[in-house]
Amino acid sequence: MVEELTKGNSFYTDENYQAALKHYNNALAEIFLKRSLCNTKLNNFEDALHDATQSIALDPKNPKAYLRKGICSFETEDYETALESFEKASSLDPENSTYSSWARKCEAELKARGKDPSVKPKPPATTTTTTTTSTTTTKTPAPASSSSSSSSNNNNNNSKPHIPFVPPPPSTHASAPQIIATPSSASQIRHEWYQNNTHVFVSIFAKGVKKDQLNVDISEESLSVNIKLISGKEYVLDLELCDSVEVPQCTYEILSTKIEIKLKKTRQVKWDTLESTVPKEEKDKDGKKPNIRPWDAPTETKPAQKNWEKIVTESAGTEGLDDRDPQAKFWQDLFADASEEERRAIMKSYTESGGTVLNMNWGEVKKEKTKIYPPEGMEARSYSE
């Protein structure tokens, strides 16, 4: 992505705009692909699908873009589009078995719904435009003053008919929310949670839930969610929370693919679990809450700091230290007396500059990539040149 952008800038500077546009499009296609992946991780499948489609438009030969589109379509239960995308990705990269594996999943889902995976959806008919054009051409009256002129005009009209502008059909991204249906079974609904130092977020993945189907009850130490399903059954999530929350500052939002619940913590602590593991009667008796700890408490033991002096001594030996190779001695002495940030600055500046710069100031080095300063009379070039 960075390389394509750099090439685009170079061609733009040289006023070769056609070549610059090509590399800018390649960089943009990669950006859309990365953003699609991020949206997928956040379960924003509609946005992820839109980004994958944009990436395909810019780079139609990238199998990874079709994989992203297929996964997003699969998550939104558009299995026909998903299967078509995976088959296209497999045709572009036949050696990758991931695409065929996803295609088999789509075929299984289609068969479970009584559909034939081999039958592809028919493209929309386009006869309306042709008929309208033909009618318009036929009804054009010919001038009565000159028959030869009339014949010439009619021939020109028949060879180059006027085609009216037809707006493109709405994209899948825009129309997706209209086809989402509420799940018919509670087993199709799942929930996840995450937290920061002030809030706990609970996501319930149920598509197309209306306001009148949902009941959310939040109390100081419990959360209850009830969803009426189209089958007449109900989905119930009833949790005794790990710690107390501030009810007036708790909110929830109904989205097209999920219900997002935001719980405000009463104190800045880290919850190990969403649901309390202590029986209510015991908690009321002695107030034990074993599944919370201070927010900044470490989750695991940090590795001990390396003793660089010991490493240098052990590698070179305690005797004959000054008899070491001069270059090895230089690096060992330099690292032995340097702080952690200075060592980091040394490695970053030295590697990024191709061995031409050695900077121990981390405050300067961390801001940008270290430039290459070749010796006098020499020129720095990349391996690709």
Side-chain angles (χ1 to χ4, degrees):
M1 180 175 63
V2 176
E3 183 180 356
E4 293 288 345
L5 188 59
T6 303
K7 289 181 179 179
N9 291 338
S10 177
F11 282 117
Y12 181 85
T13 304
D14 297 338
E15 298 185 0
N16 187 348
Y17 302 120
Q18 192 64 36
L21 182 63
K22 174 186 175 183
H23 290 290
Y24 284 146
N25 282 340
N26 291 340
L28 195 58
E30 187 67 19
I31 290 173
F32 275 118
L33 190 59
K34 295 290 186 184
R35 196 170 76 170
S36 176
L37 179 59
C38 288
N39 276 318
T40 301
K41 295 293 184 182
L42 294 171
N43 296 318
N44 299 330
F45 298 116
E46 296 168 27
D47 294 334
L49 178 61
H50 175 73
D51 289 339
T53 304
Q54 294 283 59
S55 181
I56 291 172
L58 293 167
D59 186 7
K61 294 184 179 181
N62 187 353
K64 293 182 179 179
Y66 289 98
L67 174 64
R68 288 284 111 222
K69 181 180 178 181
I71 292 175
C72 296
S73 300
F74 186 91
E75 292 294 341
T76 55
E77 300 183 7
D78 185 2
Y79 300 116
E80 291 90 347
T81 302
L83 178 59
E84 185 179 354
S85 300
F86 293 135
E87 289 177 343
K88 179 65 177 179
S90 183
S91 68
L92 294 172
D93 187 9
E95 296 182 359
N96 194 328
S97 61
T98 302
Y99 311 131
S100 56
S101 177
W102 273 103
R104 288 193 295 272
K105 291 181 181 180
C106 293
E107 290 173 352
E109 291 290 344
L110 289 171
K111 289 179 181 178
R113 286 159 174 74
K115 296 181 180 180
D116 186 358
S118 62
V119 178
K120 306 299 179 184
K122 295 182 179 180
T126 57
T127 55
T128 304
T129 303
T130 306
T131 304
T132 305
T133 304
S134 175
T135 304
T136 304
T137 305
T138 305
K139 290 185 178 181
T140 303
S145 59
S146 174
S147 60
S148 61
S149 176
S150 172
S151 174
S152 175
N153 288 339
N154 286 335
N155 289 336
N156 289 337
N157 287 338
N158 290 330
S159 61
K160 295 181 179 180
H162 171 69
I163 302 177
F165 172 76
V166 179
S171 65
T172 306
H173 172 68
S175 60
Q178 300 176 5
I179 61 173
I180 293 176
T182 306
S184 58
S185 172
S187 62
Q188 297 175 316
I189 302 176
R190 60 185 175 88
H191 75 276
E192 295 178 357
W193 74 285
Y194 62 98
Q195 64 179 312
N196 58 26
N197 61 329
T198 59
H199 291 82
V200 172
F201 302 88
V202 182
S203 299
I204 301 175
F205 296 95
K207 302 176 182 178
V209 175
K210 306 300 181 184
K211 190 174 181 179
D212 57 355
Q213 296 176 265
L214 176 66
N215 181 42
V216 178
D217 184 19
I218 304 172
S219 65
E220 187 176 353
E221 293 191 347
S222 65
L223 169 65
S224 178
V225 180
N226 187 292
I227 303 174
K228 296 179 181 178
L229 308 177
I230 56 176
S231 61
K233 298 181 180 180
E234 293 185 350
Y235 167 82
V236 178
L237 178 66
D238 196 3
L239 302 175
E240 191 74 24
L241 297 175
C242 184
D243 195 23
S244 57
V245 297
E246 298 181 9
V247 178
Q249 298 186 44
C250 297
T251 59
Y252 70 90
E253 184 180 5
I254 303 175
L255 304 176
S256 59
T257 58
K258 62 180 179 179
I259 300 158
E260 190 78 19
I261 303 172
K262 184 177 181 182
L263 306 174
K264 177 69 170 66
K265 295 179 179 179
T266 56
R267 48 183 173 169
Q268 294 191 13
V269 293
K270 182 173 291 185
W271 295 14
D272 289 338
T273 59
L274 176 61
E275 188 173 9
S276 174
T277 58
V278 180
K280 190 175 186 304
E281 55 275 12
E282 292 186 15
K283 186 165 62 174
D284 292 341
K285 186 188 306 179
D286 51 20
K288 290 191 302 182
K289 292 185 178 180
N291 299 118
I292 61 172
R293 49 196 162 87
W295 179 256
D296 56 353
T299 55
E300 58 184 13
T301 304
K302 294 184 178 179
Q305 295 291 332
K306 290 185 178 180
N307 188 339
W308 292 98
E309 292 187 14
K310 184 178 179 182
I311 294 174
V312 171
T313 304
E314 291 177 351
S315 62
T318 55
E319 297 181 359
L321 194 60
D322 293 334
D323 295 334
R324 292 169 289 162
D325 177 73
Q327 185 176 0
K329 181 179 183 299
F330 168 77
W331 287 108
Q332 290 167 354
D333 293 342
L334 183 65
F335 270 77
D337 298 331
S339 66
E340 200 68 39
E341 286 193 348
E342 288 174 337
R343 296 186 192 109
R344 196 183 310 165
I346 290 170
M347 295 304 298
K348 185 176 186 295
S349 61
Y350 189 79
T351 55
E352 290 181 346
S353 67
T356 61
V357 176
L358 195 61
N359 190 341
M360 298 178 67
N361 189 338
W362 178 245
E364 294 179 0
V365 175
K366 70 179 181 179
K367 294 179 181 179
E368 58 183 356
K369 183 178 180 180
T370 306
K371 296 181 180 179
I372 299 175
Y373 292 95
E376 185 176 355
M378 301 182 71
E379 181 181 357
R381 292 187 178 182
S382 64
Y383 290 107
S384 59
E385 294 181 351

